[in-house]
Amino acid sequence: MQVLVVSPPNSNTVIDGASCTVTRPEEHTDWSDFPNLGVLTLASALRDVPGVEPIYVDGTVVPWPDVLRYVEENASDILALCVSALTATYEAGLHLCAAAKNANSRIVTILGNDHVTALPRECMSSRAGVIDYAFVGNEVVGSFVEFITALSAGADVASGDFAGLASFDGTTVSMNPQRPEPIYTRIDYSLIDQVFDHTGLYRHNFNGRVVPTFERLTGRAVTAGMPVEIGRGCIKFARNDACSFCSIQFGGMWRNSVPDAEAAWSVIHAAHLSGYDYLYLTADELPLTFGRLLREMVAAPPPWWSGLPEDERPVMVGYARADGLSDERHASNLRALGVRQLMVGLDAGTAISLHAMKKPLASIRDVNSVYRAEKMFDHNVLALQSAKNAGLLLKVGFVIGHIGMDAGLMRENIDSMKALLESGTDSIASLDVEVLSPEPGSLDFKMLLDPEMARARAQELGLGMPSIREHEQRARKWRDKDIIDREEAMADYVVSVMPGLTLDDLAEARAEVRDHGKNLGLTIGG
């Protein structure tokens, strides 16, 4: 029996009527140039389950009608349909589950990933008959395999104690706690093209978006990209102090990694042997969160790596906080590992805005320290210089909007962002500028739903707020909802917490910063 593991496309690309003025998929850099490692990991982990054939499907590249047709034509042989959905892809995932149920009501539908982890009660109770089960959290690979094994054997899975499993009995949503587990590393790259020619589609995108820009900036020609996981987490999660707009649900483990440098190099080698030469390290933050592992890797490179000329080694890209990259020792270590490009969220142009977004690392003594916000701005400036000195290229990101932002503060941010870009033209390769989105699971989403919480936060920051009455009206719209129209939620959040501003104002600010970057010769969104 087949078990499909599917990543749906952005819902507003396949469902009519969805508005998208600042959420157009073609403007975002998550448009698929690479395989989906989360989906591939789950499919790989199912290989040893008796009687199960795992099927990898990435709807961000495979035409959605082809995915629907495959499910309908193979419905009699499908045991389970497993959908990995973000907020932007959740509604498309629901449509696929409904189509599967219509084709064969015995297909078991299972959801996972950030959206259902943030809103398990809303999703499960609203979609009875469409969603059968969900897995909540990150550390669920082992329990997912146990669940599919039991399902394949005809066991009563509803009574099983599977870590992270959520179910709905018609009255109550029940959730089993997660349990720690090691990072799964036995990736089977052959699964990518088992049914659909994903590789041809990925390479078409990769050749059009990544290859020319990377070669122009580094002189290095690359051919195929692949995410690899040697560590998962961010230093900000250690004290449950994520940035205000961060929607990552890290669960019970704020950091998880392979056990040692040898294991990390083994993961990289496996991807390299499979033909991938542009490796995307998935950790949400590298130097501060996994500094020891990176240092051990630099100290003990394996013979296969040392024996390759530098221009034949796979190149790596990853994420870093500015306060990690501003330390030149960290930058040098990353460069020694073959990291050529880093994504760094500078995120705001002023200290008060960085503070509002909870960007600084929280002080044990004073979590609201304005001084730390000022230091964070200094780290932004130093990170640009450190990257230049180490020969690292940066993909920098800014976020327009935060609680308490007004027209004056927005103008200060725009001008400061433009000045930062000018100061870093030697190290910045590309630029992302986005309007803040209150994604489910983030502090901003919680403040969209809770006007009192939002006003308490604004008071801590010394920032003004619009009318609480209007905020309450907009908050009621989103409470207990499982489908979140991201664009509409963004517009409501702006009006609710940013005095005198609208989504159009923020979109115009984004366009101004993007245009400035383009005039400086930066790639926008690539």
Side-chain angles (χ1 to χ4, degrees):
M1 295 291 283
Q2 295 183 1
V3 174
L4 275 61
V5 191
V6 182
S7 173
N10 281 9
S11 301
N12 60 14
T13 65
V14 294
I15 296 174
D16 291 336
S19 61
C20 45
T21 60
V22 294
T23 57
R24 288 187 290 266
E26 65 272 15
E27 292 188 352
H28 293 265
T29 55
D30 58 356
W31 207 237
S32 274
D33 307 322
F34 317 100
N36 185 307
L37 182 60
V39 170
L40 183 58
T41 296
L42 293 173
S44 298
L46 293 177
R47 285 170 306 179
D48 298 330
V49 177
V52 164
E53 179 187 6
I55 306 294
Y56 170 96
V57 183
D58 187 351
T60 68
V61 290
V62 175
W64 198 230
D66 292 355
V67 176
L68 291 166
R69 187 179 309 112
Y70 183 88
V71 170
E72 291 166 357
E73 292 177 353
N74 294 273
S76 62
D77 192 40
I78 295 174
L79 174 68
L81 171 66
C82 312
V83 174
S84 175
L86 304 172
T87 298
T89 66
Y90 171 68
E91 193 172 2
L94 290 180
H95 280 227
L96 183 62
C97 289
K101 288 289 190 182
N102 287 335
N104 180 358
S105 61
R106 291 190 298 274
I107 294 175
V108 176
T109 52
I110 307 167
L111 251 69
N113 212 334
D114 281 358
H115 186 78
V116 74
T117 297
L119 302 174
R121 179 181 60 82
E122 293 85 349
C123 293
M124 298 297 291
S125 62
S126 299
R127 304 298 159 182
V130 177
I131 304 172
D132 293 323
Y133 299 95
F135 276 92
V136 174
N138 286 320
E139 277 66 47
V140 296
V141 176
S143 55
F144 171 72
V145 172
E146 292 169 4
F147 180 89
I148 295 296
T149 302
L151 188 67
S152 177
D156 179 13
V157 292
S159 61
D161 184 24
F162 303 100
L165 184 71
S167 59
F168 180 57
D169 63 7
T171 303
T172 305
V173 174
S174 302
M175 289 179 286
N176 297 332
Q178 294 180 64
R179 63 171 179 244
E181 66 176 22
I183 286 178
Y184 187 89
T185 58
R186 294 177 52 235
I187 305 300
D188 184 349
Y189 296 104
S190 70
L191 293 174
I192 293 172
D193 295 322
Q194 184 171 335
V195 171
F196 295 103
D197 176 23
H198 289 93
T199 294
L201 299 168
Y202 291 134
R203 294 207 175 185
H204 173 78
N205 293 345
F206 188 80
N207 288 337
R209 290 174 58 86
V210 177
V211 171
T213 299
F214 197 76
E215 186 168 10
R216 174 174 58 84
L217 294 170
T218 68
R220 173 71 187 272
V222 289
T223 61
M226 183 70 211
V228 294
E229 186 168 48
I230 61 174
R232 177 191 307 155
C234 173
I235 189 70
K236 289 281 283 179
F237 300 159
R239 298 188 59 222
N240 197 20
D241 184 46
C243 302
S244 73
F245 50 81
C246 177
S247 61
I248 296 169
Q249 307 295 295
F250 58 89
M253 298 182 70
W254 72 268
R255 174 181 61 190
N256 196 3
S257 71
V258 294
D260 52 36
E262 183 179 0
W265 281 116
S266 178
V267 170
I268 292 167
H269 195 203
H272 177 59
L273 289 175
S274 295
Y276 300 103
D277 56 4
Y278 182 94
L279 306 183
Y280 200 121
L281 301 176
T282 61
D284 301 297
E285 199 284 329
L286 282 166
L288 294 178
T289 313
F290 301 102
R292 180 176 178 179
L293 177 63
L294 299 178
R295 290 191 296 272
E296 290 174 352
M297 291 174 68
V298 170
W304 71 266
W305 174 271
S306 301
L308 287 173
E310 185 174 358
D311 61 357
E312 294 181 18
R313 296 171 182 169
V315 298
M316 287 182 262
V317 298
Y319 292 87
R321 282 176 56 85
D323 44 358
L325 187 60
S326 63
D327 186 329
E328 297 213 4
R329 294 172 300 175
H330 293 161
S332 297
N333 274 341
L334 290 165
R335 185 65 182 84
L337 287 173
V339 174
R340 293 300 308 273
Q341 185 169 347
L342 284 171
M343 286 63 131
V344 179
L346 303 183
D347 289 327
T350 68
I352 186 60
S353 294
L354 290 166
H355 193 24
M357 292 176 180
K358 298 192 71 174
K359 283 297 296 183
L361 291 173
S363 165
I364 293 174
R365 290 185 296 273
D366 181 9
V367 296
N368 295 313
S369 169
V370 175
Y371 168 74
R372 294 185 71 84
E374 293 170 349
K375 293 295 291 182
M376 189 70 209
F377 180 82
D378 293 342
H379 283 302
N380 283 351
V381 176
L382 291 171
L384 298 175
Q385 185 61 46
S386 177
K388 177 183 176 181
N389 293 344
L392 294 169
L393 293 171
L394 297 184
K395 176 180 178 179
V396 302
F398 290 111
V399 177
I400 305 286
H402 58 72
I403 187 169
M405 173 175 273
D406 58 17
L409 192 50
M410 184 174 70
R411 172 45 56 189
E412 289 181 41
N413 270 266
I414 293 169
D415 292 343
S416 187
M417 289 173 185
K418 291 161 72 172
L420 280 169
L421 293 176
E422 291 166 8
S423 71
T425 51
D426 292 335
S427 56
I428 298 173
S430 63
L431 169 68
D432 263 350
V433 187
E434 298 304 336
V435 173
L436 183 138
S437 177
E439 300 289 304
S442 70
L443 175 60
D444 285 302
F445 185 76
K446 293 172 185 174
M447 290 192 294
L448 171 62
L449 270 57
D450 189 339
E452 295 292 347
M453 176 191 288
R455 272 142 190 82
R457 175 67 178 152
Q459 187 172 11
E460 290 176 4
L461 296 163
L463 297 174
M465 290 282 279
S467 161
I468 191 170
R469 180 179 300 175
E470 186 166 13
H471 189 169
E472 180 58 46
Q473 290 175 346
R474 294 171 186 273
R476 282 197 295 269
K477 182 196 305 185
W478 301 108
R479 292 180 188 136
D480 302 317
K481 295 290 192 299
D482 68 316
I483 294 178
I484 307 298
D485 182 312
R486 295 176 68 239
E487 190 123 344
E488 190 175 349
M490 292 163 76
D492 282 348
Y493 194 53
V494 174
V495 173
S496 296
V497 306
M498 303 180 203
L501 296 178
T502 66
L503 182 60
D504 287 344
D505 295 327
L506 270 62
E508 290 175 9
R510 179 186 71 158
E512 182 178 340
V513 179
R514 283 184 168 188
D515 288 346
H516 189 71
K518 191 180 298 184
N519 291 336
L520 292 172
L522 306 181
T523 298
I524 308 301

